[in-house]
Amino acid sequence: MKRAGDDDGGGKEILKTEDSAVATSVQKTAISNSKHVVEDSIQALYCTTYPDSLNIADLGCSSGPNTLLVIRVIIDAIHERCRQLCRPLPEFRVYLNDLPGNDFSTIFRSLAGFYDTLKEEKGLPLGTCFISGVPGSFYGRIFPRNFLDFVHSSYSLHWLSQIPQGLQDEMGESLNKANIYIAESSPPAVFKAYLEQFQNDFSLFLKLRSKEMTCKGCMVLTLIGRRTEEPRYGWDLLAQALKKMVSEGAIQEAKLDSFDLPYYSPSAKELKEVIVTEGSFTLDRLQITELTSNTNDKKARGQMEAKSMRAVTESMLVNHFGEEIIDDLFEKLAENVEEEELPSKEEMNYTNFTLSMTKKV
């Protein structure tokens, strides 16, 4: 594999493609695991009133091969139920949402092929499905009142709206020095700050969606969580790679001390408490699944972990530390994973929560 900068930068493009492929595979598995929850929820919604059209939003849609996957799941589920009931298919009005920097043009270029597939495989005529992009943060209002019938989001809500407040002392010094997330060495105030930021963000998300959704609208959300009430230290190896670069003089220590990830993996209890306290939705179902690393090959595991983390953190790291350290950083991360003792099966698991909710009348 070439390194970026060896020639015309082509190596970097290879790295990005492979990193993205690993992350795409993980998310595809998560979508597959939640498929029956989506199907049950959208079919139950349809059978309440048999609407002539459905307004559907996918929040945090990204722009890769998985972007239209869940939309296909939804259309197939309604198509099958309409076939069983001998009813005409409703119109699907689909709104793909992500931050303004998302590559919506790639999505739009793929739509003609997507519509052709629907026509060839399901016999759906043109004019059955309308897909558009809606840029904006889902931590703000993005749709009119009483507009959406069904909301879906996968692998987005564990990302916070901002770095938590309260990670500095009264003098402005970092409370989480040399760490980039909750770690064993983090003081209790760091865990408290992350938990409060998640509670505020998730509560706001629910409040905003309740305004945008129709009466008895449904929502299916999938995010990374944790099985225990104790914090999970999921980013230690990346922090160790950054600390090594500090010791080598490639990164200033103050730069590392001022970097924290806007991420939080909640427990099931924390999720339920926010839903109950906010009060806009009824939790109909909470499915817990595990994604497990399927290799005992240390080198392969190191490469896979590094590519997966790079795909989701590179832009944040570049903004804070600069692009020139990125290749070396993730090579060190892969080495750290290789040198680590192979974890137990439980430690290798990634816990996914899929929530199905209905808006309260």
Side-chain angles (χ1 to χ4, degrees):
M1 182 182 297
K2 294 190 290 182
R3 285 169 53 93
D6 284 349
D7 44 53
D8 61 354
K12 182 164 66 175
E13 293 306 313
I14 293 172
L15 280 167
K16 286 185 176 180
T17 300
E18 293 184 354
D19 302 339
S20 179
V22 172
T24 296
S25 176
V26 172
Q27 189 180 32
K28 184 175 181 180
T29 301
I31 292 174
S32 176
N33 288 342
S34 64
K35 178 181 176 181
H36 59 285
V37 180
V38 173
E39 291 172 334
D40 291 349
S41 182
I42 192 68
Q43 288 180 341
L45 170 66
Y46 174 72
C47 290
T48 56
T49 59
Y50 302 108
D52 294 328
S53 64
L54 287 167
N55 287 335
I56 300 162
D58 188 25
L59 308 183
C61 66
S62 191
S63 60
N66 295 327
T67 299
L68 297 175
L69 186 59
V70 73
I71 304 307
R72 181 60 191 268
V73 169
I74 291 170
I75 292 174
D76 286 351
I78 296 299
H79 180 269
E80 177 60 21
R81 184 51 52 92
C82 288
R83 186 191 64 79
Q84 294 170 353
L85 299 173
C86 298
R87 298 190 64 89
L89 200 66
E91 283 186 354
F92 297 94
R93 302 168 185 173
V94 179
Y95 304 92
L96 302 177
N97 158 261
D98 213 318
L99 295 174
N102 188 51
D103 187 7
F104 285 99
S105 60
T106 295
I107 302 174
F108 297 153
R109 285 194 294 269
S110 70
L111 290 183
F114 180 74
Y115 293 144
D116 288 343
T117 300
L118 291 179
K119 183 177 181 180
E120 292 169 6
E121 296 184 5
K122 296 295 181 182
L124 303 188
L126 294 176
T128 302
C129 180
F130 303 87
I131 299 177
S132 58
V134 182
S137 170
F138 53 54
Y139 291 122
R141 279 287 301 276
I142 44 182
F143 295 99
R145 284 183 178 271
N146 304 317
F147 182 70
L148 297 173
D149 300 299
F150 188 81
V151 170
H152 174 267
S153 182
S154 181
Y155 267 40
S156 295
L157 279 163
H158 41 252
W159 293 107
L160 303 173
S161 66
Q162 62 179 33
I163 305 297
Q165 302 294 309
L167 295 183
Q168 296 84 31
D169 61 19
E170 293 179 355
M171 303 298 293
E173 293 290 319
S174 172
L175 297 175
N176 205 29
K177 286 187 176 182
N179 298 314
I180 62 174
Y181 181 57
I182 303 166
E184 288 190 81
S185 61
S186 301
V190 170
F191 176 74
K192 181 174 182 288
Y194 268 97
L195 173 59
E196 289 179 352
Q197 185 65 51
F198 172 77
Q199 290 171 331
N200 292 337
D201 281 351
F202 190 43
S203 180
L204 176 61
F205 176 89
L206 296 175
K207 180 181 179 181
L208 295 171
R209 301 295 82 78
S210 71
K211 292 180 179 179
E212 296 169 347
M213 296 178 69
T214 58
C215 177
K216 297 186 179 179
C218 296
M219 183 157 58
V220 175
L221 312 173
T222 296
L223 68 158
I224 298 174
R226 66 183 198 277
R227 278 193 175 274
T228 69
E229 292 308 307
E230 295 299 316
R232 180 167 182 170
Y233 314 121
W235 299 92
D236 286 358
L237 294 178
L238 180 56
Q240 289 173 22
L242 286 164
K243 282 186 274 191
K244 189 171 184 180
M245 297 193 76
V246 169
S247 69
E248 294 173 350
I251 293 175
Q252 295 180 357
E253 185 174 8
K255 271 284 190 183
L256 174 56
D257 290 344
S258 64
F259 180 76
D260 295 282
L261 285 171
Y263 169 94
Y264 187 74
S265 53
S267 68
K269 180 182 177 182
E270 290 166 354
L271 282 168
K272 291 176 182 177
E273 285 177 347
V274 174
I275 294 169
V276 171
T277 301
E278 194 282 326
S280 297
F281 290 88
T282 298
L283 178 61
D284 301 316
R285 184 173 182 178
L286 173 58
Q287 172 182 278
I288 303 175
T289 55
E290 305 285 353
L291 298 185
T292 306
S293 175
N294 59 2
T295 179
N296 289 324
D297 184 322
K298 288 188 175 183
K299 186 174 181 63
R301 181 170 172 265
Q303 293 295 321
M304 183 171 63
E305 290 281 349
K307 290 173 183 176
S308 180
M309 285 194 187
R310 180 169 182 167
V312 297
T313 62
E314 180 170 2
S315 62
M316 289 179 280
L317 292 165
V318 167
N319 287 338
H320 191 81
F321 297 104
E323 190 170 6
E324 62 276 2
I325 63 107
I326 296 299
D327 287 345
D328 192 21
L329 172 63
F330 284 99
E331 286 179 5
K332 285 181 168 56
L333 173 61
E335 291 168 2
N336 287 347
V337 178
E338 289 176 39
E339 293 168 2
E340 187 188 34
E341 283 190 29
L342 283 173
S344 67
K345 184 175 180 181
E346 181 178 346
E347 291 173 323
M348 292 168 73
N349 287 349
Y350 293 89
T351 301
N352 283 349
F353 293 139
T354 297
L355 303 86
S356 175
M357 292 182 281
T358 304
K359 179 181 173 180
K360 292 181 179 178
V361 178

